[in-house]
Amino acid sequence: AVLSAISRMKSRGGEADPEDDGDPAAALALKAYGPYCSKLLAANSMDFDDLLLLSRELLEERPECAEALRRRWPHVLVDEFQDTSSVQLDIVRRLTG
């Protein structure tokens, strides 16, 4: 539950999810978020959310990378599209132009 709350926080740019108000796991996640991110950075590591967020950041800041990927893969298949997050949808949109 705590990692899920941290995941939601990462997708909101580090902000707490208002829907989690009063949830003890979310309160713990809020306290753990900074140290968790620091430990990942110190270990030169990433979690799944970081992979998504940094991929989106790369495609936003380096459009030539997105273009190179579009040329390499002209078709993109998204399984379970109904379950994609807004970050994942941004990545798909950048990959498909």
Side-chain angles (χ1 to χ4, degrees):
V2 173
L3 287 177
S4 292
I6 287 174
S7 177
R8 287 191 300 277
M9 287 176 66
K10 282 190 174 196
S11 70
R12 298 174 58 83
E15 299 292 323
D17 189 339
E19 293 181 18
D20 287 341
D21 195 31
D23 179 12
L28 182 56
L30 192 57
K31 290 180 185 175
Y33 182 79
Y36 174 74
C37 292
S38 295
K39 293 272 188 190
L40 284 174
L41 188 60
N44 201 25
S45 299
M46 288 188 254
D47 61 14
F48 183 71
D49 294 300
D50 290 332
L51 290 171
L52 292 172
L53 292 167
L54 292 171
S55 295
R56 179 178 67 178
E57 183 179 318
L58 173 70
L59 296 172
E60 284 175 356
E61 293 180 3
R62 304 276 309 272
E64 68 275 12
C65 290
E67 181 57 37
L69 293 171
R70 281 194 289 275
R71 283 193 306 273
R72 182 173 182 155
W73 297 303
H75 305 285
V76 175
L77 175 65
V78 179
D79 189 27
E80 301 289 337
F81 183 80
Q82 72 277 6
D83 295 330
T84 57
S85 69
S86 61
V87 174
Q88 292 167 327
L89 184 56
D90 285 346
I91 291 170
V92 170
R93 286 183 173 150
R94 292 181 189 288
L95 289 175
T96 59

